[in-house]
Amino acid sequence: MWLKPEEVLLKNALKLWVTERSNDFFLLQRRRGHGEPTGRITGLLVGALDTVLDSNARVTPFRILLQVPGSQVNWVIASGAAIEEVNKHWDWLVHNLLHSLSVFENKEDAASFVKGKVKGLIAEEVRGRQAAQEEDPEKFREVLLKFELRFGLPSSEKLVTCYSCCCWKGRVPRQGFLYLSINHMAFYSFLLGKEVKFVIPWAEVTRLERVSTGLMTEAIRVNTRRRQREFSMFLNLDEAFGVICQLADIALRRLLDSEGLELDRVLQQPTRITKRMLEEQAIREYVLALFRLPRGERLHEVASCSVWTPHARCHTAGTLYTTDSYLCFSSRDEGSCTLLVPLSEVLSIEKAESTSALPNPVIVSVRTKKAFQLIELQDRDELVECLNSRLRALQWKHSMFHSRKDGKRSMSSPTPYYTFYYDTGYSDEEEVEEQVLRNTVNSEALMTAFHQDQTGTDSDKSMERVKERLWEGHFSEFGRGVHMFRTEKIQRLVAMGIPESLRGELWMTLSDASSELECHQGYYSSLVQKSMGQNNLATEEIERDLHRSLPDHPAFQNPTGIAALRRVLTAYAHRNPKIGYCQSMNILASVLLLYAKEEDAFWLLVAVCERMLPDYFNRRVIGAQVDQSVFEELIRERLPELAEHVPDVSSLSSVSLSWFLTLFLSVLPFHSAVCVVDCFFFHGIKAIFQLGLAVLEANTAQLLASTDDGQALMILTSFLDQVGGEEPFCTPSSPPAAEETSRSDTDGPRVGHTNITDLINDSYEKFGDLTVRQIERLRCRHRIQVLQAHEDTTKENTLRLVTPDVSISPENMADVYDLFKTEHFISLYWGDSSSAAAAEAASWHYRGFGHTYRRARPQFKSLYGLLVPWPGGSNQNTDTVANRTFTLLDQDGDNLVTFREFAGWLDTLYCEELNEKIRLLYRLHIPPALTESEDDPSVKSPLLSTNRPLCVDLSPGVESEVKDYQKQLKQMLQDLAKEKEKDLEKPLPLMNQREFIQFCKTLYSMFHSDPEENDLFQAIATVTSLVLQIGEAGHSGHSSGSDITGQEEVKGAQPTKVAIEDAGAGASRGDRGAMAEEWTVSYAQILASLLTEQALVNFFEKPVDLSSKIAAAREKQYHQRAGLLTLQHRTS
C-alpha cells in the first residue's frame, strides 16, 4: 500500500534490507530473512527480531524507497506483505513518473513532485474505501470529489450522502444538490452563470419539519437561529428527511452538553458513519424501543419469516430481529403479535426438513419444554450458524459464571451480610433491630405483609379470583414466562388490571427484568454490601425522600418498608452513578416493592430507568422533556380543536410532566395508578402517551370553556382524582401529590366517576394506532429542539452573569458568545482526535455558567486573530502576543480560558480608557505573560540602543515642542502620583530592558497598515527614546549613587526621579534581581511618555466598531480555520 512519505536516513541500516530492483530515483527492497533459505544466520537473526516485535512495530517484508541522487536521505513511499503487491506499485512508478522526473533540473523538486503524487494516491485510496461502503462506489466517489472542491472543507469532514433538490427563496426555486456530512448540510447550485452555495452546521439547527405549501407538495424546512430554509425534491423525500433528522440528532448529542444521554459507541466515532450505518441504527433504535431491550444490545440480523402461533392455529407473518442476547419477532401489524425469546432460555436452534408447506423451517427449543417454529427464512443456513455461535458463547459464559459463583459460595462464610449500617440515635435494642432491617433483603413483596383496610373486600376478592382464572386460561393458551405470545387478548387483560397475586411476576415477565435477574445472581446482594453505609449527595437525597413515598400506605409507615426502599434506591445509585438518584424514583420504587420481591423490585427499577424510560432520570431529565415535546405535537395532531383553542400547547404538556415522570402514580388514586403501571410494563411509553391523550380528549369540552391555565389545571386534577376501579368506593388513599391537589381545589368543577378500565380501553380504541416507530421518529426530531432549548438557556444564564461586568452591549456579547462556542465546535469537527477529545473534556466541566465553554490555546489564538481591534504586523509577532495574552488570562494555570475571562479581555480592548489598554499591553510584556524561555531573535540582538536616544528627523515646528517634554512629563507624573493614592490595585512590577524591547516591538507591529502609520512610527520612536533616557538615568543614578550633573542630564533626570518615587518600593521584581542592579522603567513612566504624543493617544482612543468586527469574524471564522486545519493535516 502507499504510505505517507517518511524519511529514512540509512537505506540499508544494519544490513536489514536487500535491494531487489533499483533505478535513479526508486529502490525496491526486501527484508532480509524473508524468502531466503532458512540456513543463513543473518536471515535467522532478522527473522527473530521481527518475530519478537509487537504487531504495531512489526515491519512489512517489502518496501519502495524514493531516493535523490547525491543525497543520504531517502523516503519510504510504499510497502507490502507480498511481492506482487509491491511490484504493482513499482510498475506504476516506472510507467507514470520515472520519465517525468528526468526533466527536473533540481533533484529536490523531483522528490517533492513524487511525494505530492503519493499523497494524492493515498487520498484517492481513502475516497475509494469510503466509496466502497456505499451502494454505488463510482458515483459516490464522484460526488465526494465535487463536495471537497465546492466547499473547501477539510478531508476529515466525511460526506454521508447527497440528494438532488430545490432550495426555495420565497417563490423562486434553485435547483441544485444537498450534501449531508457528519457535521454539516451544504447546498450548491449553479444555474445561468450564477453560483449559490451555503453551509449549515448541524449544531445550529433548532428545528426540522415537513411542510406543505401551494407551490410545492411537500418540503423539508430547516430552522436555525438566524433563518429558515426549505428544500423540496421529487424523489427520496422520506429518506432524506430521515437521514437529516438522524445526522442532526447525532451531532447535537455528540457536540452539545448531553450529560446522561445515551449515544451508541459507533456513533461517537463520526468518521465511521455511513448512510448504511444510519439505516441500521434507525432499525436498532426501533427494535430496542419496541421490545424494551437493554441499550447495549447490538442488532445482528433482520429477516422476514412466519412463526407458528398455536392460539391462532396458523403461521403469522412478520419480521425476526436477532441481537446479542435475544430473538425478537413482530407481526407485520405492529402490536398484534410479538414474541421475545432470551437466548439464555434457549436450549437449541435447529434446522428442520424443508417441504412445500413448510419452506426453510427452524425449530427454537426453550427450557420450558416448548418450541417455536419459524419458516420462510432467507439465508437460513447462515442465520442458524450465527445464532448457534452466539448461543454457545452465552452458554459457556453462564457456565463459567456459575462455576465461579459455586466456588466462592463454598469458601464464603454463611454469616449474613447485614454488618453494613448507618449510625442511628436509637437505644441498643432498637439499634440492633434497625441495623438488621436496613440490611436484610426482603424475600417477599411488601403487599403480602401490609394490606390497606378497605371496604367491600369480598367483592374485591371475587374480582381478583375472576382475573386470576382469566390469566390462568391465557397462560395455558399463549404460554407463560418471558417468551409467551403477546397479543391483543393480553392487552385486554392488562387493561382490566393484573391481579395482585400475579402482578409482580407479570411485571418481571413483561419488562424482561427476569432475564436480567437470572443472569446476575447475587449482584443485588453485593451492591447492598458495597453501598450501605456510604454517605454522599445521592444518599442524602434518598434519606430526605424516604418518608415522602406513599406515606399513607401501611408498608411505608413501618421500618421494614422504609429499609427496603432505602436499600433499593441506594443500590441503584451505586450501580448507576450517572443517574444516582432522581426525584420520583422513590414513588416508583415504593410501588414496585409493594408487588415484587426486593431483588425483583431492584431489577424492575433498572429496567424502567435504563431501558423503558431512557434519559428520563438524569440531571436535566432530557428524556422526559423530549417526550413532553412529542406529546405537544400529538395534541396538535390528534386533538386539533383543543390545540386551536389553546395556542400555547406547552401549558398542557407542563401539567402532564408528572404523568410521564411518575407514570400517573402522583395524580391518580392508588389502585387506578397501578393499573396504568400494568399497561406501561406491557406497552412501554406508548401507553402513557395514549392515556394522556385520552384524559385530554375526555375533558375537551371543559378545557375549551376554560379561561386560563389555572382553571385547566383544576379541571384535569378533579377528573383524575375521580378515576377509580369497578366500584367508586374502592379507592385507597392517594400519594401525597394527588391528595394535596384534590383537597386544595374543592371549589373547582367536579366530574362524575370514571372507571380506569374504561379510560384505558378508550385510549386504546381512539389512539391505539400510535406506533412505536412513530414515537421514535418524533423523539429524534424533538430531541433536537430540547437540546437547543437547553443550549439557549445556558447562553442566557452565562450572558446574564458576564454582561454586568463589561461595557460591551448585550447584542455584541451574544455574538461573541456564538463565536466562542463555534470555535469549540470547529475543534471537535476537524481537530486531531487527541486535541478534539481534550477540548471536549475541558469544555464541559460545569463550574458555573461563566465557565460553560472554555478555550484551549489554539482556539484562543484563532479568536484573537479574528477580534483583536488593531491591524497586526507579521504573523509571528501576532502569534507571540496571542500566546502571551492566553498565558495572562489563564489565571488558574489549567491551560484553558473561560468565557468570562475572554469577555473581560475583549472589554478592555474595545471599551476601556487609554490607561487600561496600556496597562494590559504592559502586563503582556512582564512575567507571567512574558516568559524567560521565550525564543525571540530580537532579544539576542536588541534593535534599540541602551546608551543613546534614537535619532529622529523632526521638522522645526515639532522641535520647538520637544523642549516642553520634561515639563509636561513632570506634571503628568505628579497627577498620576495623586491618582495612585486613590488606586487600591496592586502596583505593577517594573519592566526590564529585555521586556521593554518586546513592548516596543509589539507597538511597532500594531501600527502596520494603519492610515497614520508614518506619524505613529515617528511618535513611538520619540517615546522610545524618552523612555530609554529615563531608564538609563535611573540605572546610572542607582549604580553611581551620586547626583546627576550637567544641563542635559538634569533635564532627563528630574522626571526620572519623580517616576521612580512614583513607582514606590512595593513594585518588586520578584526573582528577576534587585531593582538597583538593572535597567528598569515603570508602568507610570511608560504611560506618561505615551501620553506626550497625540498620535499615539488618538490611536488608542480611536473607537473601533465591535459589531462590524464580529460580522467580519463570523464570515472568516469557518473558512480560515478550515484552511489552517487542512494545511496542518497535509503537512503532518
Side-chain angles (χ1 to χ4, degrees):
M1 63 179 177
W2 298 107
L3 301 175
K4 187 174 73 172
E6 184 177 348
E7 284 190 9
V8 179
L9 294 178
L10 298 175
K11 57 187 174 186
N12 196 14
L14 304 177
K15 304 295 183 182
L16 297 178
W17 295 91
V18 178
T19 300
E20 298 283 334
R21 304 168 72 175
S22 66
N23 54 44
D24 290 342
F25 289 93
F26 302 108
L27 293 172
L28 191 157
Q29 294 185 331
R30 170 179 53 82
R31 187 76 165 172
R32 188 178 294 278
H34 186 84
E36 296 179 351
T38 56
R40 295 188 179 181
I41 185 64
T42 55
L44 291 174
L45 290 174
V46 176
L49 175 65
D50 291 343
T51 301
V52 298
L53 291 175
D54 61 31
S55 58
N56 294 325
R58 207 166 287 162
V59 182
T60 53
F62 298 97
R63 71 180 185 180
I64 297 176
L65 299 181
L66 166 66
Q67 63 178 356
V68 176
S71 174
Q72 295 297 316
V73 179
N74 299 270
W75 293 268
V76 181
I77 59 174
S79 67
I83 188 63
E84 294 81 10
E85 179 187 1
V86 179
N87 277 335
K88 287 181 181 178
H89 291 343
W90 177 269
D91 294 340
W92 188 91
L93 291 170
V94 170
H95 290 98
N96 294 279
L97 293 186
L98 190 59
H99 298 294
S100 303
L101 297 179
S102 60
V103 302
F104 286 92
E105 295 181 1
N106 188 336
K107 301 306 179 184
E108 295 293 336
D109 292 341
S112 298
F113 174 75
V114 174
K115 287 187 282 186
K117 283 290 186 182
V118 171
K119 290 179 180 179
L121 291 171
I122 294 172
E124 189 65 22
E125 280 187 354
V126 171
R127 291 195 196 98
R129 285 195 297 270
Q130 185 175 343
Q133 300 174 357
E134 306 298 327
E135 296 177 358
D136 190 345
E138 291 302 321
K139 181 179 179 181
F140 188 82
R141 186 194 300 265
E142 180 182 350
V143 170
L144 180 60
L145 184 61
K146 290 180 180 178
F147 174 70
E148 293 176 351
L149 292 175
R150 288 170 175 172
F151 298 100
L153 298 177
S155 57
S156 55
E157 182 64 22
K158 187 176 185 300
L159 181 66
V160 176
T161 189
C162 175
Y163 296 98
S164 174
C165 72
C166 282
C167 178
W168 292 80
K169 184 178 181 181
R171 296 176 178 270
V172 180
R174 296 192 189 100
Q175 181 63 38
F177 293 92
L178 185 65
Y179 298 88
L180 305 179
S181 68
I182 54 177
N183 298 308
H184 304 84
M185 65 184 304
F187 177 78
Y188 180 86
S189 173
F190 187 82
L191 287 175
L192 302 176
K194 184 177 181 181
E195 183 183 57
V196 176
K197 64 179 180 180
F198 55 82
V199 176
I200 302 174
W202 295 124
E204 291 299 316
V205 173
T206 58
R207 187 182 183 91
L208 294 169
E209 54 187 337
R210 293 174 64 166
V211 295
S212 298
T213 66
L215 293 175
M216 44 189 171
T217 55
E218 201 166 16
I220 299 171
R221 177 176 292 167
V222 180
N223 289 294
T224 65
R225 290 183 174 86
R226 299 187 182 276
R227 63 178 304 171
Q228 69 178 29
R229 297 188 184 272
E230 293 177 352
F231 303 92
S232 64
M233 54 192 73
F234 291 107
L235 301 173
N236 304 318
L237 184 69
D238 293 338
E239 176 188 300
F241 186 65
V243 173
I244 289 172
C245 289
Q246 279 186 281
L247 287 172
D249 177 44
I250 292 168
L252 290 177
R253 284 197 280 174
R254 181 169 52 86
L255 297 174
L256 297 185
D257 180 17
S258 51
E259 182 180 341
L261 287 181
E262 296 292 338
L263 185 62
D264 192 73
R265 187 176 301 174
V266 176
L267 300 179
Q268 294 174 359
Q269 303 171 350
T271 54
R272 298 180 58 184
I273 295 176
T274 63
K275 182 181 174 184
R276 185 180 305 172
M277 180 184 292
L278 291 177
E279 294 171 351
E280 294 173 354
Q281 184 67 16
I283 298 173
R284 175 181 174 273
E285 292 287 344
Y286 167 68
V287 172
L288 294 183
L290 179 63
F291 297 97
R292 277 95 65 193
L293 301 182
R295 307 302 296 176
E297 286 292 306
R298 295 172 299 171
L299 182 65
H300 291 285
E301 294 93 12
V302 180
S304 297
C305 69
S306 295
V307 171
W308 175 254
T309 47
H311 56 275
R313 302 290 191 271
C314 67
H315 284 89
T316 300
T319 306
L320 176 71
Y321 306 95
T322 68
T323 68
D324 292 334
S325 308
Y326 293 90
L327 296 176
C328 312
F329 173 82
S330 176
S331 59
R332 290 175 181 171
D333 183 12
E334 181 185 295
S336 62
C337 181
T338 58
L339 179 66
L340 180 66
V341 183
L343 284 180
S344 58
E345 296 290 320
V346 175
L347 293 177
S348 64
I349 302 174
E350 301 172 320
K351 294 180 287 187
E353 184 178 353
S354 182
T355 64
S356 57
L358 300 173
N360 297 331
V362 172
I363 307 299
V364 179
S365 303
V366 296
R367 292 181 182 179
T368 55
K369 298 182 180 180
K370 289 187 177 182
F372 300 96
Q373 183 189 72
L374 290 77
I375 63 172
E376 299 175 345
L377 279 165
Q378 299 294 327
D379 302 323
R380 177 183 66 161
D381 295 345
E382 183 180 352
L383 176 65
V384 172
E385 182 180 352
C386 293
L387 287 173
N388 277 317
S389 175
R390 289 201 293 276
L391 180 61
R392 288 192 296 270
L394 191 66
Q395 290 173 342
W396 177 83
K397 181 180 177 181
H398 285 176
S399 64
M400 292 297 293
F401 172 77
H402 286 298
S403 64
R404 286 199 302 268
K405 180 186 168 188
D406 294 340
K408 289 180 181 179
R409 186 181 302 166
S410 62
M411 297 171 62
S412 62
S413 169
T415 305
Y417 55 82
Y418 47 79
T419 55
F420 298 84
Y421 53 89
Y422 292 109
D423 292 333
T424 64
Y426 296 105
S427 63
D428 292 342
E429 294 182 2
E430 292 174 329
E431 184 175 355
V432 173
E433 181 183 0
E434 178 68 12
Q435 292 169 10
V436 176
L437 284 175
R438 283 174 179 259
N439 301 280
T440 305
V441 175
N442 291 340
S443 58
E444 297 293 337
L446 294 179
M447 191 62 82
T448 59
F450 301 96
H451 286 279
Q452 288 179 300
D453 294 329
Q454 303 176 26
T455 57
T457 54
D458 291 339
S459 62
D460 286 343
K461 290 179 180 178
S462 62
M463 179 57 68
E464 287 288 302
R465 287 193 292 270
V466 170
K467 292 179 182 178
E468 289 172 2
R469 287 196 298 271
L470 290 173
W471 275 99
E472 292 298 334
H474 182 273
F475 291 149
S476 63
E477 185 177 3
F478 293 86
R480 189 166 189 165
V482 175
H483 42 69
M484 67 178 172
F485 287 99
R486 307 180 190 193
T487 64
E488 293 178 355
K489 181 177 179 182
I490 193 173
Q491 173 182 304
R492 292 191 294 270
L493 288 176
V494 170
M496 294 172 59
I498 298 174
E500 288 187 2
S501 59
L502 297 174
R503 184 164 273 144
E505 174 194 342
L506 283 170
W507 284 357
M508 292 289 289
T509 296
L510 295 174
S511 65
D512 191 38
S514 56
S515 297
E516 292 284 323
L517 173 62
E518 177 69 22
C519 296
H520 298 86
Q521 292 290 333
Y523 175 77
Y524 175 67
S525 301
S526 65
L527 273 185
V528 172
Q529 280 187 316
K530 295 174 184 176
S531 62
M532 296 303 287
Q534 292 187 359
N535 188 20
N536 50 46
L537 180 61
T539 58
E540 291 174 3
E541 292 178 347
I542 289 169
E543 289 296 323
R544 204 164 45 238
D545 287 349
L546 283 177
H547 296 277
R548 304 175 186 173
S549 310
L550 304 184
D552 293 332
H553 199 286
F556 299 102
Q557 297 170 351
N558 187 285
T560 301
I562 294 295
L565 182 60
R566 176 187 293 111
R567 285 192 297 271
V568 169
L569 293 175
T570 306
Y572 184 78
H574 188 79
R575 164 191 166 87
N576 193 342
K578 183 184 290 187
I579 292 178
Y581 171 76
C582 180
Q583 284 190 347
S584 77
M585 286 174 64
N586 60 320
I587 296 177
L588 181 60
S590 60
V591 173
L592 299 177
L593 282 167
L594 287 177
Y595 297 100
K597 300 175 183 177
E598 186 176 322
E599 188 170 7
D600 294 356
F602 169 79
W603 286 110
L604 285 170
L605 185 65
V606 170
V608 172
C609 294
E610 299 177 11
R611 294 193 274 124
M612 304 183 75
L613 295 177
D615 305 327
Y616 261 60
F617 301 99
N618 55 40
R619 183 172 56 87
R620 299 182 303 164
V621 291
I622 291 288
Q625 293 185 54
V626 171
D627 281 351
Q628 288 304 292
S629 186
V630 171
F631 191 55
E632 291 178 26
E633 180 160 336
L634 291 176
I635 292 172
R636 286 189 286 266
E637 179 184 328
R638 302 302 183 101
L639 303 172
E641 186 180 2
L642 181 60
E644 184 178 353
H645 176 74
V646 185
D648 186 10
V649 185
S650 61
S651 60
L652 293 177
S653 64
S654 62
V655 173
S656 64
L657 179 61
S658 62
W659 303 355
F660 286 80
L661 279 174
T662 65
L663 308 179
F664 282 89
L665 286 166
S666 63
V667 294
L668 282 174
F670 180 75
H671 279 278
S672 300
V674 172
C675 291
V676 176
V677 178
D678 295 340
C679 297
F680 169 75
F681 277 116
F682 178 65
H683 264 310
I685 196 63
K686 172 186 170 182
I688 307 301
F689 279 116
Q690 291 177 174
L691 189 62
L693 291 171
V695 169
L696 294 179
E697 195 269 343
N699 293 275
T700 297
Q702 295 184 62
L703 290 173
L704 291 177
S706 64
T707 56
D708 54 40
D709 295 345
Q711 190 175 356
L713 175 62
M714 291 169 57
I715 292 168
L716 293 174
T717 302
S718 180
F719 174 82
L720 292 170
D721 193 47
Q722 298 300 314
V723 175
E726 294 296 328
E727 297 293 334
F729 50 82
C730 296
T731 54
S733 57
S734 306
E739 186 175 355
E740 282 183 22
T741 53
S742 64
R743 289 176 182 172
S744 61
D745 297 327
T746 54
D747 297 332
R750 307 295 295 177
V751 295
H753 171 78
T754 302
N755 183 268
I756 184 62
T757 302
D758 294 340
L759 185 61
I760 292 173
N761 286 329
D762 193 44
S763 72
Y764 280 119
E765 180 182 344
K766 295 180 178 178
F767 307 106
D769 58 334
L770 181 65
T771 64
V772 173
R773 193 183 299 275
Q774 291 172 343
I775 292 174
E776 286 304 303
R777 288 175 178 170
L778 289 172
R779 277 176 164 177
C780 183
R781 282 174 45 209
H782 287 272
R783 193 181 294 113
I784 296 169
Q785 297 173 218
V786 171
L787 287 174
Q788 291 287 23
H790 274 276
E791 185 67 15
D792 291 341
T793 302
T794 301
K795 177 180 176 180
E796 291 171 4
N797 290 329
T798 302
L799 294 178
R800 187 168 62 248
L801 291 175
V802 174
T803 302
D805 298 335
V806 297
S807 301
I808 301 174
S809 68
E811 296 78 14
N812 284 338
M813 279 302 301
D815 291 336
V816 170
Y817 181 93
D818 291 338
L819 288 173
F820 201 75
K821 182 178 69 172
T822 300
E823 196 64 36
H824 165 67
F825 290 154
I826 290 175
S827 300
L828 294 182
Y829 294 159
W830 306 315
D832 60 83
S833 57
S834 59
S835 65
E840 186 172 17
S843 297
W844 295 120
H845 291 166
Y846 266 75
R847 300 184 302 169
F849 290 108
H851 298 75
T852 300
Y853 287 103
R854 301 190 289 167
R855 297 281 58 79
R857 189 179 297 269
Q859 294 86 49
F860 174 81
K861 287 163 65 177
S862 173
L863 290 168
Y864 179 94
L866 291 169
L867 293 175
V868 71
W870 42 71
S874 65
N875 290 333
Q876 179 182 358
N877 189 268
T878 301
D879 187 73
T880 301
V881 177
N883 272 317
R884 293 175 189 160
T885 305
F886 180 87
T887 304
L888 181 65
L889 295 181
D890 180 22
Q891 298 176 358
D892 52 3
D894 60 355
N895 288 321
L896 294 167
V897 169
T898 67
F899 179 71
R900 182 190 291 274
E901 294 164 344
F902 182 82
W905 166 75
L906 206 62
D907 182 61
T908 301
L909 295 185
Y910 282 91
C911 302
E912 289 290 353
E913 299 293 335
L914 178 146
N915 60 331
E916 290 300 323
K917 296 178 183 178
I918 302 302
R919 175 186 287 271
L920 174 62
L921 286 172
Y922 185 92
R923 293 179 64 197
L924 290 177
H925 296 84
I926 59 175
L930 181 70
T931 60
E932 294 293 336
S933 60
E934 191 172 289
D935 186 13
D936 196 312
S938 66
V939 179
K940 301 173 184 176
S941 55
L943 300 175
L944 303 177
S945 171
T946 61
N947 54 19
R948 62 180 178 85
L950 291 179
C951 296
V952 183
D953 293 330
L954 300 177
S955 61
V958 176
E959 188 174 1
S960 62
E961 296 176 6
V962 175
K963 298 178 181 178
D964 296 330
Y965 275 167
Q966 283 75 19
K967 185 182 296 184
Q968 295 175 6
L969 182 59
K970 183 176 181 180
Q971 183 62 41
M972 290 177 182
L973 290 175
Q974 289 174 350
D975 293 340
L976 286 171
K978 294 178 182 178
E979 291 179 5
K980 189 174 180 181
E981 295 176 359
K982 304 176 183 178
D983 190 4
L984 299 179
E985 288 190 14
K986 183 180 179 181
L988 292 173
L990 299 178
M991 180 180 284
N992 64 24
Q993 185 181 31
R994 168 181 175 270
E995 295 161 356
F996 179 67
I997 292 172
Q998 296 298 312
F999 180 82
C1000 294
K1001 279 194 64 178
T1002 299
L1003 292 179
Y1004 272 101
S1005 176
M1006 287 165 51
F1007 302 150
H1008 278 292
S1009 304
D1010 190 274
E1012 307 294 329
E1013 182 177 353
N1014 292 333
D1015 293 340
L1016 289 168
F1017 283 156
Q1018 185 171 307
I1020 193 60
T1022 303
V1023 170
T1024 303
S1025 175
L1026 180 60
V1027 174
L1028 283 171
Q1029 291 180 59
I1030 294 173
E1032 284 293 331
H1035 179 59
S1036 59
H1038 277 289
S1039 58
S1040 65
S1042 62
D1043 293 333
I1044 300 173
T1045 60
Q1047 184 65 28
E1048 183 179 351
E1049 290 180 340
V1050 170
K1051 290 182 180 179
Q1054 285 177 346
T1056 304
K1057 291 178 182 177
V1058 177
I1060 292 174
E1061 292 172 4
D1062 182 11
S1068 65
R1069 296 296 297 161
D1071 58 355
R1072 292 182 291 162
M1075 285 190 299
E1077 297 179 0
E1078 62 178 19
W1079 186 101
T1080 58
V1081 291
S1082 68
Y1083 160 69
Q1085 292 168 335
I1086 291 178
L1087 176 61
S1089 302
L1090 289 172
L1091 290 175
T1092 62
E1093 289 294 328
Q1094 190 62 39
L1096 296 177
V1097 174
N1098 293 341
F1099 177 83
F1100 284 107
E1101 288 187 343
K1102 179 172 60 179
V1104 181
D1105 185 8
L1106 180 58
S1107 301
S1108 59
K1109 198 73 176 179
I1110 292 172
R1114 191 184 298 122
E1115 293 295 326
K1116 291 191 295 185
Q1117 184 179 29
Y1118 241 68
H1119 294 290
Q1120 176 178 308
R1121 290 281 282 137
L1124 288 174
L1125 289 165
T1126 302
L1127 184 62
Q1128 290 173 10
H1129 285 304
R1130 288 177 180 171
T1131 57
S1132 60

